[in-house]
Amino acid sequence: MPRIIRTRVAIVGAGPAGLLLSHLLADAGIESIVLDRRSRTEIESTIRAGILEQETVRVLDESGASDRVLTVGNRHDGIELRFNGEGHRIDFPELVGRSVWLYPQHEVLKDLIAARLAAGQDVLFETEVTGVGDVETDRPWVTATTSDDEELRIEAEFVVGADGSRSVVRPAVTGSSAGGHFREYPFAWFGILCEAPPSSDELIYSNSPDGFALISQRSATIQRMYFQCDPDADPNALSEAEIWNALQARVPGTSLATGPIVQRDVLRFRSFVAHELRHGRAVLVGDAAHTVPPTGAKGMNLAVADVVLLDRALRALLLENDTRLIDAFAETALKRIWKAQHFSWWMTSMLHTASDATEFDRRRQVGELRSVVESEAGRTFLAEAYTGWPHEGGAS
Ligand code: DHB
């Protein structure tokens, strides 16, 4: 017989979406349980993107979910777009009165996990979900197996799939594990973490005939950089010298500060939006609902926006029996999701070089980049999307 746990909201996935949701719900007195198949160490050490929109930072700071985002994180007031070897700055405060913060996702996760555990939240790490059911009733459940092989049955009033792109909750919502709109890309990013000082004050997004590169940062002594590669590239096939040559060739005009490469990975891209985000009393948020290519760093920001909406909808449903916000959840969330899908696709296609690109394609791409950087309307469009649209119903 499984051990029965009763709670109000069963949250599958201890990533940014699941943990933040449990944090916001607790503030309204709504009890939840969070499960994840990964260990706490794995969650806290997986390297992800580093750019937070202004609204994401506001939510993390004001809710008390992260007390380090403003002190350890660094505000960035612009980015550089580089093409034909020339840099063009996009000045965020001047164009849209907003900024972004560089604060890595795994640091957000460390803050969230510490805050949730300190508040007495039940977070079950290394616990694998084995089933989700009765989502069409008021008593949906989740079954799971813990790291010491204990069988659990979690009886809740709502189930949330915040369990990433290979979501096990998704079939209960969409009817199948795929169930969505897809797009694959013919390239990926070769990412490195290296011990070196920053090569530039701000991030550089560089288009070059050799392909795209992104010069990002982590701290005064650790840098994060990426260059476009084949999706099937083997991260261990290149020597450190070959990696530096590949990066340097893609950012003409900047002499990169180099140093030991302490981590390397290949990130494959895809765009995905689930056909359904909600079915009865189960809902999908974050990467379980959608994935974006990394250019523009929308992934975690979109997850936070989903959760802000869902938190309001669950408060109305579970505290006041008001179904209006949960009924509107998918439609409202999808408006932002598709804007972010478009932005991520646009940045990706404008900056990367396809292997079969013709001279026409290359010149057209430079024309597109020029129409962005040489026009205030173009720069403003990019700045609005990059710094993040205001949250629905929130202050702008
Ligand atoms: C980073 C990743 C991104 O995808 C991006 O657009 C900017 C920064 C990063 O990992 O630092």
Side-chain angles (χ1 to χ4, degrees):
M1 281 294 282
R3 177 158 67 96
I4 310 257
I5 302 178
R6 292 200 173 83
T7 188
R8 300 205 78 182
V9 184
I11 302 174
V12 183
L19 290 165
L20 180 63
L21 181 66
S22 77
H23 184 83
L24 298 177
L25 290 175
D27 210 37
I30 300 174
E31 189 208 2
S32 65
I33 188 163
V34 181
L35 333 166
D36 202 295
R37 64 173 176 75
R38 296 168 298 168
S39 67
R40 178 176 178 182
T41 315
E42 189 184 342
I43 293 171
E44 291 185 341
S45 60
T46 305
I47 304 298
R48 293 285 183 86
I51 292 288
L52 305 183
E53 295 173 359
Q54 180 150 323
E55 286 281 272
T56 301
V57 169
R58 188 181 59 75
V59 170
L60 292 174
D61 176 53
E62 285 180 4
S63 72
S66 169
D67 49 14
R68 295 189 309 148
V69 60
L70 289 174
T71 52
V72 178
N74 283 310
R75 197 183 83 215
H76 280 236
D77 285 342
I79 55 167
E80 187 187 301
L81 285 191
R82 188 170 298 187
F83 55 93
N84 278 352
E86 300 159 20
H88 303 264
R89 183 162 188 262
I90 311 287
D91 183 324
F92 299 148
E94 179 190 284
L95 294 161
V96 293
R98 295 199 293 269
S99 299
V100 295
W101 268 257
L102 194 122
Y103 187 61
Q105 179 167 325
H106 68 274
E107 297 295 338
V108 175
L109 285 165
K110 282 187 203 165
D111 296 347
L112 272 165
I113 290 173
R116 294 317 302 132
L117 294 178
Q121 170 76 42
D122 231 342
V123 185
L124 301 177
F125 297 105
E126 296 173 71
T127 296
E128 189 107 29
V129 168
T130 51
V132 177
D134 286 344
V135 303
E136 286 165 8
T137 74
D138 289 351
R139 291 268 170 258
W141 49 261
V142 172
T143 51
T145 311
T146 67
S147 55
D148 21 86
D149 276 339
E150 191 189 8
E151 303 291 328
L152 304 177
R153 181 181 164 94
I154 296 146
E155 298 186 348
E157 293 166 53
F158 214 94
V159 173
V160 178
D163 53 341
S165 54
R166 284 188 224 106
S167 171
V168 296
V169 178
R170 195 183 294 134
V173 175
T174 65
S176 77
S177 59
H181 306 280
F182 269 107
R183 188 192 168 98
E184 300 274 354
Y185 295 80
F187 25 74
W189 281 1
F190 195 112
I192 62 161
L193 272 181
C194 65
E195 287 170 7
S199 293
S200 137
D201 289 342
E202 293 178 343
L203 271 57
I204 304 174
Y205 287 79
S206 184
N207 166 280
S208 82
D210 290 315
F212 170 73
L214 168 58
I215 309 305
S216 184
Q217 312 169 1
R218 283 297 175 263
S219 68
T221 53
I222 304 279
Q223 311 310 319
R224 181 76 163 145
M225 303 182 193
Y226 304 93
F227 63 92
Q228 178 184 340
C229 68
D230 191 85
D232 299 319
D234 169 4
N236 297 313
L238 295 186
S239 68
E240 295 206 6
E242 286 169 323
I243 294 173
W244 286 115
N245 285 341
L247 276 164
Q248 185 62 70
R250 289 162 172 78
V251 276
T254 293
S255 177
L256 292 177
T258 62
I261 293 173
V262 291
Q263 192 174 315
R264 39 170 88 198
D265 46 11
V266 169
L267 279 80
R268 298 180 73 127
F269 293 19
R270 72 180 190 159
S271 300
F272 168 75
V273 181
H275 282 146
E276 270 90 36
L277 300 190
R278 176 198 169 205
H279 181 65
R281 286 200 172 218
V283 77
L284 301 175
V285 289
D287 279 2
H290 43 71
T291 30
V292 290
T295 331
K298 279 284 160 267
M300 164 159 160
N301 293 296
L302 208 47
V304 168
D306 291 348
V307 162
V308 166
L309 268 186
L310 183 60
D311 167 55
R312 279 198 218 118
L314 289 179
R315 286 175 191 226
L317 178 73
L318 300 177
L319 300 179
E320 287 152 40
N321 211 17
D322 177 346
T323 57
R324 281 174 298 178
L325 289 178
I326 198 69
D327 287 343
F329 169 77
E331 193 184 330
T332 312
L334 281 166
K335 287 184 187 149
R336 187 187 191 91
I337 292 166
W338 279 110
K339 279 165 73 172
Q341 284 293 354
H342 170 258
F343 177 68
S344 308
W345 166 88
W346 176 64
M347 287 284 278
T348 300
S349 63
M350 179 167 68
L351 289 162
H352 291 68
T353 315
S355 57
D356 59 353
T358 62
E359 191 56 22
F360 175 89
D361 297 331
R362 219 182 56 73
R363 289 179 190 235
R364 187 207 54 77
Q365 199 175 40
V366 171
E368 184 175 11
L369 283 157
R370 270 200 202 294
S371 40
V372 174
V373 302
E374 292 176 1
S375 136
E376 186 170 330
R379 292 194 303 275
T380 305
F381 174 78
L382 194 152
E384 259 182 5
Y386 194 96
T387 58
W389 309 283
H391 284 166
E392 183 79 16
S396 56

